Coordinates of all heavy atoms in Angstrom, one line a residue:
M1033 N 103.9 121.9 24.8 CA 104.1 120.5 24.6 C 102.7 119.8 25.0 O 102.1 120.1 25.9 CB 105.2 119.9 25.4 CG 106.5 120.2 24.9 SD 107.8 119.5 26.0 CE 108.1 118.1 24.9
S1034 N 102.4 118.8 24.2 CA 101.1 118.0 24.4 C 101.5 116.9 25.4 O 102.6 116.6 25.7 CB 100.6 117.5 23.1 OG 101.6 116.4 22.6
N1035 N 100.4 116.3 25.9 CA 100.6 115.4 26.9 C 101.2 114.1 26.3 O 102.0 113.4 26.9 CB 99.2 114.9 27.5 CG 99.3 114.1 28.7 OD1 100.2 114.0 29.4 ND2 98.1 113.5 29.0
K1036 N 101.1 113.8 25.0 CA 101.6 112.7 24.3 C 103.1 112.9 24.2 O 103.9 111.9 24.4 CB 101.0 112.6 23.0 CG 101.6 111.4 22.2 CD 100.9 111.3 20.8 CE 101.6 110.1 20.1 NZ 100.9 109.9 18.8
D1037 N 103.6 114.1 23.9 CA 105.0 114.4 23.9 C 105.6 114.2 25.1 O 106.8 113.8 25.3 CB 105.3 115.8 23.4 CG 104.8 116.0 21.9 OD1 104.8 114.9 21.2 OD2 104.6 117.2 21.6
L1038 N 105.0 114.7 26.2 CA 105.6 114.4 27.6 C 105.6 112.9 28.0 O 106.7 112.6 28.5 CB 104.6 115.2 28.7 CG 104.8 116.8 28.6 CD1 103.8 117.4 29.6 CD2 106.2 117.2 28.9
T1039 N 104.7 112.2 27.6 CA 104.6 110.8 27.9 C 105.8 110.2 27.2 O 106.5 109.3 27.7 CB 103.3 110.1 27.5 OG1 102.3 110.9 28.2 CG2 103.3 108.7 27.9
T1040 N 106.0 110.5 25.9 CA 107.0 109.9 25.1 C 108.3 110.3 25.7 O 109.3 109.4 25.8 CB 107.0 110.4 23.6 OG1 105.6 109.9 23.2 CG2 108.0 109.7 22.8
S1041 N 108.6 111.6 26.0 CA 109.8 112.0 26.6 C 110.1 111.3 27.8 O 111.2 110.9 28.2 CB 109.7 113.5 26.8 OG 109.6 114.3 25.6
L1042 N 109.1 111.1 28.7 CA 109.3 110.4 30.0 C 109.7 108.9 29.8 O 110.7 108.5 30.4 CB 108.0 110.5 30.8 CG 108.1 109.8 32.2 CD1 109.2 110.5 33.1 CD2 106.8 109.9 32.9
K1043 N 109.2 108.3 28.8 CA 109.5 106.9 28.5 C 111.0 106.8 28.0 O 111.7 105.9 28.4 CB 108.5 106.3 27.4 CG 107.2 106.0 27.9 CD 106.3 105.4 26.8 CE 104.9 105.1 27.2 NZ 104.1 104.5 26.2
V1044 N 111.4 107.7 27.2 CA 112.7 107.8 26.6 C 113.7 108.0 27.8 O 114.7 107.3 27.8 CB 112.8 108.8 25.6 CG1 114.3 109.0 25.2 CG2 112.1 108.4 24.3
A1045 N 113.4 109.0 28.7 CA 114.2 109.2 29.8 C 114.4 108.1 30.7 O 115.4 107.8 31.2 CB 113.7 110.4 30.5
I1046 N 113.3 107.5 31.0 CA 113.3 106.2 31.9 C 114.1 105.1 31.3 O 114.9 104.5 32.0 CB 111.9 105.8 32.3 CG1 111.3 106.8 33.2 CG2 111.9 104.4 33.0 CD1 109.8 106.6 33.6
S1047 N 113.9 104.9 30.0 CA 114.6 103.8 29.4 C 116.1 104.0 29.2 O 117.0 103.1 29.4 CB 114.2 103.6 27.8 OG 112.8 103.3 27.9
A1048 N 116.5 105.2 29.0 CA 117.9 105.6 28.9 C 118.5 105.5 30.4 O 119.7 105.0 30.4 CB 118.1 107.1 28.4
N1049 N 117.9 105.9 31.3 CA 118.4 105.8 32.7 C 118.5 104.4 33.1 O 119.5 104.0 33.8 CB 117.8 106.6 33.6 CG 118.0 108.1 33.5 OD1 119.2 108.4 33.7 ND2 117.1 109.0 33.3
L1050 N 117.5 103.6 32.8 CA 117.6 102.1 33.1 C 118.8 101.5 32.4 O 119.4 100.7 33.0 CB 116.2 101.5 32.8 CG 115.2 101.5 33.8 CD1 113.9 101.0 33.3 CD2 115.5 101.0 35.0
G1051 N 119.0 101.7 31.1 CA 120.0 101.1 30.4 C 121.5 101.5 31.0 O 122.3 100.7 31.2
W1052 N 121.6 102.8 31.4 CA 122.8 103.3 32.0 C 123.0 102.6 33.4 O 124.0 102.3 33.8 CB 122.8 104.9 32.1 CG 123.9 105.4 32.9 CD1 125.2 105.5 32.4 CD2 123.9 105.8 34.3 NE1 125.9 106.1 33.5 CE2 125.2 106.1 34.6 CE3 122.9 105.8 35.2 CZ2 125.5 106.6 35.9 CZ3 123.3 106.2 36.4 CH2 124.6 106.6 36.8
G1053 N 121.9 102.6 34.1 CA 122.0 101.8 35.4 C 122.4 100.4 35.3 O 123.2 99.9 36.2
F1054 N 121.8 99.6 34.4 CA 122.2 98.3 34.3 C 123.7 98.2 33.9 O 124.5 97.3 34.3 CB 121.3 97.6 33.3 CG 120.0 97.4 33.8 CD1 118.9 97.6 32.9 CD2 119.8 96.9 35.1 CE1 117.6 97.3 33.4 CE2 118.5 96.7 35.6 CZ 117.4 96.9 34.7
E1055 N 124.1 99.1 32.9 CA 125.6 99.0 32.6 C 126.5 99.4 33.8 O 127.6 98.7 34.0 CB 125.8 100.1 31.5 CG 127.2 99.9 30.8 CD 127.3 100.9 29.6 OE1 126.4 101.3 29.2 OE2 128.5 100.9 29.2
L1056 N 126.0 100.4 34.5 CA 126.8 100.7 35.7 C 126.9 99.6 36.7 O 127.9 99.2 37.4 CB 126.3 101.9 36.4 CG 127.1 102.5 37.6 CD1 128.4 103.0 37.2 CD2 126.3 103.7 38.2
F1057 N 125.7 98.9 36.9 CA 125.6 97.7 37.9 C 126.6 96.7 37.5 O 127.3 96.1 38.3 CB 124.3 97.2 38.0 CG 124.1 96.0 38.9 CD1 124.2 96.1 40.2 CD2 123.9 94.8 38.2 CE1 124.0 95.0 41.1 CE2 123.8 93.7 39.0 CZ 123.8 93.8 40.4
D1058 N 126.6 96.4 36.1 CA 127.5 95.4 35.6 C 128.9 95.7 35.9 O 129.8 94.9 36.4 CB 127.2 95.3 34.1 CG 128.0 94.1 33.4 OD1 128.2 93.0 34.1 OD2 128.5 94.4 32.4
L1059 N 129.3 97.0 35.7 CA 130.7 97.4 35.9 C 131.1 97.2 37.3 O 132.2 96.8 37.6 CB 131.0 98.9 35.4 CG 132.3 99.4 35.6 CD1 133.4 98.7 34.6 CD2 132.3 100.9 35.3
V1060 N 130.1 97.7 38.3 CA 130.4 97.7 39.7 C 130.6 96.3 40.2 O 131.5 96.0 41.0 CB 129.3 98.4 40.6 CG1 129.5 98.2 42.0 CG2 129.4 100.0 40.2
V1061 N 129.9 95.4 39.7 CA 129.9 93.9 40.1 C 131.3 93.5 39.7 O 131.9 92.7 40.5 CB 128.8 93.1 39.5 CG1 129.0 91.6 39.7 CG2 127.5 93.5 40.3
Y1062 N 131.7 93.7 38.5 CA 133.0 93.2 38.0 C 134.1 93.8 38.8 O 135.1 93.1 39.1 CB 133.2 93.5 36.5 CG 132.5 92.5 35.6 CD1 131.6 92.9 34.7 CD2 132.8 91.1 35.8 CE1 131.0 91.9 33.8 CE2 132.2 90.2 34.9 CZ 131.2 90.6 33.9 OH 130.6 89.7 33.1
L1063 N 134.0 95.1 39.2 CA 135.1 95.7 40.0 C 135.1 95.0 41.3 O 136.1 95.0 41.9 CB 134.8 97.1 39.9 CG 135.2 97.9 38.7 CD1 134.8 99.3 38.7 CD2 136.6 97.7 38.2
Y1064 N 133.9 94.7 41.9 CA 133.8 94.3 43.3 C 134.5 92.9 43.4 O 135.1 92.7 44.3 CB 132.3 94.2 43.7 CG 132.1 93.7 45.1 CD1 132.5 94.6 46.2 CD2 131.7 92.5 45.3 CE1 132.3 94.2 47.5 CE2 131.5 92.1 46.7 CZ 131.8 92.9 47.7 OH 131.6 92.6 49.0
V1065 N 134.4 92.2 42.3 CA 135.0 90.7 42.4 C 136.2 90.6 41.7 O 136.6 89.5 41.3 CB 133.9 89.7 42.0 CG1 132.7 89.7 42.8 CG2 133.4 89.9 40.6
A1066 N 136.9 91.7 41.3 CA 138.1 91.7 40.4 C 139.1 90.9 41.1 O 139.9 90.2 40.4 CB 138.5 93.1 40.2
N1067 N 139.2 91.0 42.4 CA 140.4 90.3 43.1 C 140.2 88.8 43.0 O 141.2 88.0 43.1 CB 140.5 90.7 44.4 CG 141.2 92.1 44.6 OD1 142.0 92.5 43.8 ND2 140.7 92.9 45.7
T1068 N 139.0 88.3 43.0 CA 138.6 86.9 42.8 C 138.8 86.4 41.4 O 139.3 85.2 41.2 CB 137.3 86.7 43.4 OG1 137.1 87.1 44.7 CG2 136.9 85.1 43.4
I1069 N 138.3 87.1 40.4 CA 138.2 86.7 39.0 C 139.5 86.7 38.4 O 140.0 85.9 37.6 CB 137.2 87.5 38.3 CG1 135.8 87.2 38.8 CG2 137.3 87.3 36.7 CD1 134.7 88.1 38.2
A1070 N 140.4 87.9 38.7 CA 141.6 88.2 38.0 C 142.6 86.9 38.0 O 143.1 86.4 37.0 CB 142.3 89.3 38.5
P1071 N 142.8 86.3 39.2 CA 143.8 85.1 39.2 C 143.3 83.9 38.4 O 144.0 83.1 37.9 CB 144.0 84.8 40.6 CG 143.5 85.9 41.3 CD 142.5 86.6 40.5
L1072 N 141.9 83.8 38.2 CA 141.3 82.7 37.6 C 141.5 82.8 36.1 O 141.7 81.7 35.4 CB 139.8 82.6 38.0 CG 139.5 82.3 39.3 CD1 138.0 82.4 39.7 CD2 140.1 81.0 39.9
F1073 N 141.3 83.9 35.6 CA 141.3 84.2 34.1 C 142.8 84.5 33.6 O 143.2 84.4 32.4 CB 140.4 85.2 33.6 CG 139.0 84.6 33.7 CD1 138.2 84.9 34.6 CD2 138.5 83.8 32.7 CE1 136.8 84.5 34.8 CE2 137.3 83.3 32.6 CZ 136.4 83.6 33.7
F1074 N 143.6 85.2 34.5 CA 144.9 85.8 34.2 C 145.9 85.2 35.1 O 146.4 86.1 36.0 CB 144.9 87.3 34.0 CG 143.9 87.8 33.0 CD1 142.7 88.3 33.4 CD2 144.2 87.8 31.6 CE1 141.8 88.9 32.5 CE2 143.3 88.2 30.8 CZ 142.1 88.7 31.2
P1075 N 146.2 84.0 35.3 CA 147.1 83.5 36.2 C 148.6 84.0 36.0 O 149.0 84.1 34.8 CB 147.1 81.9 36.1 CG 146.7 81.7 34.7 CD 145.7 82.9 34.4
A1076 N 149.2 84.6 37.1 CA 150.4 85.1 36.9 C 151.2 85.0 38.3 O 150.5 84.8 39.3 CB 150.4 86.6 36.6
I1077 N 152.4 85.1 38.3 CA 153.1 85.1 39.6 C 152.8 86.2 40.4 O 152.6 86.1 41.7 CB 154.7 85.0 39.4 CG1 154.9 83.7 38.6 CG2 155.5 85.1 40.6 CD1 156.4 83.7 38.1
D1078 N 152.7 87.4 39.8 CA 152.3 88.6 40.6 C 150.8 88.9 40.5 O 150.2 88.9 39.5 CB 153.0 89.8 40.0 CG 153.0 91.1 40.7 OD1 152.5 91.0 42.0 OD2 153.3 92.2 40.1
K1079 N 150.2 89.0 41.6 CA 148.8 89.3 41.7 C 148.4 90.6 41.1 O 147.3 90.8 40.5 CB 148.2 89.2 43.1 CG 148.2 87.8 43.7 CD 147.6 87.8 45.1 CE 146.1 87.7 44.9 NZ 145.4 87.5 46.2
T1080 N 149.3 91.6 41.2 CA 149.1 92.9 40.7 C 149.0 92.8 39.1 O 148.1 93.4 38.5 CB 150.1 93.9 41.0 OG1 150.2 93.8 42.5 CG2 149.8 95.4 40.5
A1081 N 149.9 92.1 38.5 CA 149.8 91.9 37.1 C 148.6 91.4 36.6 O 147.9 91.7 35.6 CB 151.0 91.1 36.7
S1082 N 148.0 90.3 37.2 CA 146.8 89.7 36.9 C 145.6 90.6 37.0 O 144.7 90.7 36.2 CB 146.6 88.4 37.6 OG 146.3 88.5 39.0
L1083 N 145.6 91.5 38.1 CA 144.6 92.4 38.4 C 144.6 93.5 37.2 O 143.5 93.8 36.7 CB 144.7 93.1 39.7 CG 143.6 93.9 40.1 CD1 142.3 93.3 40.1 CD2 144.0 94.6 41.4
L1084 N 145.8 93.8 37.0 CA 145.8 94.9 35.8 C 145.4 94.4 34.5 O 144.8 95.2 33.7 CB 147.2 95.5 35.8 CG 147.8 96.4 36.9 CD1 149.2 96.7 36.8 CD2 146.8 97.6 36.9
E1085 N 145.7 93.1 34.2 CA 145.3 92.5 32.9 C 143.8 92.5 32.9 O 143.1 92.7 31.9 CB 145.8 91.2 32.8 CG 147.4 91.2 32.4 CD 148.0 89.9 32.4 OE1 147.4 88.9 32.8 OE2 149.2 89.7 32.0
F1086 N 143.1 92.1 34.1 CA 141.7 92.1 34.1 C 141.1 93.4 34.0 O 140.0 93.5 33.2 CB 141.3 91.4 35.5 CG 139.7 91.4 35.7 CD1 139.1 90.5 35.2 CD2 139.2 92.3 36.5 CE1 137.7 90.4 35.3 CE2 137.9 92.3 36.8 CZ 137.0 91.3 36.1
L1087 N 141.7 94.3 34.5 CA 141.1 95.7 34.5 C 141.3 96.2 33.0 O 140.4 97.0 32.6 CB 141.7 96.7 35.5 CG 141.4 96.4 36.9 CD1 142.1 97.3 37.8 CD2 139.9 96.5 37.3
L1088 N 142.3 96.0 32.5 CA 142.5 96.4 31.0 C 141.5 95.6 30.1 O 140.9 96.3 29.2 CB 144.0 95.9 30.6 CG 144.3 96.3 29.1 CD1 144.4 97.8 28.9 CD2 145.6 95.7 28.7
T1089 N 141.1 94.4 30.4 CA 140.0 93.7 29.6 C 138.8 94.5 29.8 O 138.0 94.7 28.8 CB 140.0 92.3 30.2 OG1 141.2 91.7 30.0 CG2 138.9 91.6 29.3
L1090 N 138.4 95.0 31.0 CA 137.2 95.8 31.2 C 137.3 97.1 30.4 O 136.3 97.5 29.8 CB 137.0 96.1 32.7 CG 136.6 95.0 33.6 CD1 136.4 95.4 35.0 CD2 135.3 94.3 33.1
V1091 N 138.5 97.8 30.4 CA 138.5 99.0 29.7 C 138.4 98.8 28.2 O 137.8 99.6 27.5 CB 139.9 99.7 29.9 CG1 140.2 100.9 29.1 CG2 139.9 100.1 31.5
V1092 N 139.0 97.7 27.7 CA 138.9 97.5 26.1 C 137.4 97.2 25.8 O 137.0 97.6 24.9 CB 139.9 96.4 25.8 CG1 139.6 95.8 24.4 CG2 141.3 96.7 25.9
G1093 N 136.8 96.4 26.6 CA 135.4 96.1 26.5 C 134.5 97.4 26.5 O 133.6 97.5 25.7
Y1094 N 134.8 98.3 27.4 CA 134.0 99.5 27.5 C 134.2 100.4 26.3 O 133.1 101.0 25.9 CB 134.5 100.2 28.9 CG 133.8 101.5 29.1 CD1 132.5 101.4 29.7 CD2 134.2 102.7 28.8 CE1 131.8 102.5 30.0 CE2 133.5 103.9 29.1 CZ 132.4 103.8 29.8 OH 131.6 104.8 30.0
F1095 N 135.4 100.5 25.8 CA 135.5 101.3 24.6 C 135.1 100.5 23.4 O 134.9 101.2 22.3 CB 137.0 101.8 24.5 CG 137.3 102.8 25.5 CD1 138.2 102.7 26.5 CD2 136.7 104.1 25.4 CE1 138.6 103.7 27.5 CE2 137.0 105.1 26.2 CZ 137.9 104.8 27.2
A1096 N 135.1 99.2 23.3 CA 134.7 98.5 22.1 C 133.2 98.5 21.9 O 132.7 98.3 20.7 CB 135.2 97.0 22.2
R1097 N 132.4 98.7 22.9 CA 130.9 98.7 22.9 C 130.4 99.8 21.8 O 129.7 99.5 20.9 CB 130.3 98.9 24.2 CG 130.3 97.8 25.0 CD 129.6 98.0 26.3 NE 129.9 96.9 27.3 CZ 129.4 96.9 28.5 NH1 128.8 97.8 29.0 NH2 129.7 95.8 29.2
P1098 N 130.8 101.0 22.0 CA 130.4 102.0 21.1 C 130.9 101.8 19.6 O 130.1 102.1 18.6 CB 130.7 103.4 21.6 CG 131.6 103.1 22.7 CD 131.5 101.7 23.1
I1099 N 132.1 101.4 19.5 CA 132.7 101.1 18.2 C 132.0 100.0 17.4 O 131.6 100.1 16.3 CB 134.2 100.8 18.3 CG1 135.0 102.0 18.8 CG2 134.7 100.3 16.9 CD1 136.3 101.8 19.3
G1100 N 131.6 98.9 18.3 CA 130.8 97.9 17.6 C 129.4 98.3 17.3 O 128.8 97.9 16.3
G1101 N 128.9 99.1 18.1 CA 127.5 99.7 17.9 C 127.5 100.4 16.6 O 126.5 100.4 15.8
I1102 N 128.4 101.3 16.4 CA 128.5 102.1 15.2 C 128.7 101.2 13.9 O 128.0 101.3 13.0 CB 129.7 103.1 15.2 CG1 129.3 104.1 16.4 CG2 130.0 103.7 13.9 CD1 130.5 105.0 16.7
F1103 N 129.6 100.2 14.1 CA 129.8 99.3 12.9 C 128.6 98.4 12.6 O 128.3 98.4 11.5 CB 131.1 98.4 13.2 CG 131.2 97.4 12.2 CD1 131.9 97.8 10.9 CD2 131.0 96.0 12.3 CE1 132.2 96.8 10.0 CE2 131.2 95.2 11.4 CZ 131.7 95.5 10.1
F1104 N 128.1 97.7 13.6 CA 127.0 96.8 13.4 C 125.7 97.6 13.1 O 124.9 97.2 12.4 CB 126.9 95.9 14.5 CG 128.0 94.9 14.4 CD1 128.9 94.9 15.4 CD2 128.0 93.9 13.5 CE1 129.8 93.8 15.5 CE2 128.9 93.0 13.4 CZ 130.0 92.8 14.4
G1105 N 125.6 98.8 13.7 CA 124.4 99.7 13.4 C 124.4 100.0 11.9 O 123.2 100.0 11.2
H1106 N 125.5 100.4 11.4 CA 125.6 100.8 10.0 C 125.3 99.6 9.1 O 124.6 99.7 8.2 CB 127.0 101.5 9.8 CG 127.2 101.8 8.3 ND1 126.6 102.8 7.7 CD2 128.0 101.2 7.4 CE1 127.1 102.9 6.4 NE2 127.9 101.9 6.2
Y1107 N 125.9 98.5 9.5 CA 125.7 97.3 8.8 C 124.2 96.8 8.7 O 123.7 96.5 7.7 CB 126.6 96.2 9.4 CG 126.5 94.8 8.6 CD1 127.1 94.6 7.3 CD2 125.8 93.8 9.2 CE1 127.0 93.4 6.8 CE2 125.7 92.6 8.6 CZ 126.3 92.4 7.3 OH 126.2 91.2 6.8
G1108 N 123.6 97.0 9.9 CA 122.2 96.6 10.0 C 121.3 97.6 9.2 O 120.3 97.2 8.7
D1109 N 121.7 98.8 9.2 CA 120.8 99.9 8.5 C 120.9 99.7 7.0 O 119.9 99.8 6.2 CB 121.4 101.3 8.8 CG 120.9 101.7 10.1 OD1 120.1 101.0 10.9 OD2 121.5 102.7 10.7
R1110 N 122.1 99.2 6.5 CA 122.2 99.0 5.1 C 121.7 97.7 4.6 O 121.1 97.6 3.5 CB 123.7 99.0 4.7 CG 124.3 100.5 4.7 CD 125.7 100.7 4.2 NE 125.9 100.0 2.9 CZ 126.8 99.3 2.5 NH1 127.8 99.0 3.3 NH2 126.9 98.8 1.3
I1111 N 121.8 96.7 5.3 CA 121.6 95.3 4.9 C 120.3 94.7 5.6 O 119.6 93.8 5.1 CB 122.7 94.3 5.1 CG1 123.8 95.0 4.1 CG2 122.4 93.0 4.6 CD1 125.2 94.2 4.3
G1112 N 120.0 95.1 6.8 CA 119.1 94.5 7.6 C 117.6 94.7 7.2 O 117.3 95.8 6.5
R1113 N 116.7 93.9 7.4 CA 115.3 94.1 7.3 C 114.9 94.4 5.8 O 114.1 95.1 5.5 CB 114.7 95.2 8.1 CG 114.8 94.8 9.6 CD 114.1 96.0 10.4 NE 114.4 95.7 11.8 CZ 113.8 96.4 12.8 NH1 113.1 97.5 12.4 NH2 114.0 96.1 14.0
K1114 N 115.5 93.6 4.9 CA 115.2 93.6 3.4 C 114.0 92.6 3.2 O 114.1 91.5 3.7 CB 116.3 93.4 2.6 CG 117.3 94.6 2.6 CD 118.3 94.5 1.5 CE 119.2 95.7 1.5 NZ 120.3 95.5 0.5
R1115 N 113.1 92.9 2.4 CA 112.2 92.1 1.9 C 112.8 91.1 0.9 O 113.6 91.4 0.1 CB 111.0 92.8 1.1 CG 110.2 93.6 2.2 CD 108.9 94.0 1.5 NE 108.1 94.8 2.5 CZ 107.0 95.5 2.1 NH1 106.6 95.5 0.9 NH2 106.3 96.1 3.1
L1116 N 112.3 89.8 1.1 CA 112.8 88.8 0.2 C 112.1 88.8 -1.0 O 111.0 89.0 -1.3 CB 112.8 87.4 0.9 CG 113.7 87.3 2.2 CD1 113.4 85.9 2.8 CD2 115.1 87.5 1.8

């Protein structure tokens, strides 16, 4: 491998790990403050129900990201960046 290939591979690895780290940080912060946020957005008589609704929202968002990426990536590849 040439020095240029190693530099490119290192940049890709660092970028991928930073993206994963920021996503993990985001998830950990939401989980840390879940007991505070859950009753504010999902008021219920039972605190457990509001917490479960909040966690379900996080799970749906976690699985919707790649589906949205596939859909909008395909849409952007077909229609995006066309010359006028």
Side-chain angles (χ1 to χ4, degrees):
M1033 285 180 97
S1034 69
N1035 194 18
K1036 183 179 178 184
D1037 292 338
L1038 289 175
T1039 304
T1040 303
S1041 297
L1042 184 63
K1043 286 181 183 179
V1044 168
I1046 289 172
S1047 299
N1049 282 303
L1050 279 174
W1052 174 79
F1054 288 138
E1055 185 175 352
L1056 182 65
F1057 175 76
D1058 185 39
L1059 179 66
V1060 168
V1061 168
Y1062 278 124
L1063 291 174
Y1064 184 73
V1065 296
N1067 286 330
T1068 305
I1069 294 176
L1072 297 174
F1073 287 99
F1074 302 103
I1077 296 172
D1078 187 18
K1079 289 183 87 172
T1080 305
S1082 64
L1083 183 61
L1084 287 174
E1085 289 173 353
F1086 176 75
L1087 293 176
L1088 180 64
T1089 304
L1090 288 180
V1091 169
V1092 168
Y1094 184 78
F1095 286 114
R1097 285 180 189 177
I1099 294 169
I1102 291 169
F1103 174 75
F1104 287 112
H1106 176 71
Y1107 181 74
D1109 288 344
R1110 287 187 53 219
I1111 298 175
R1113 295 187 184 177
K1114 287 188 176 180
R1115 290 189 177 174
L1116 299 176

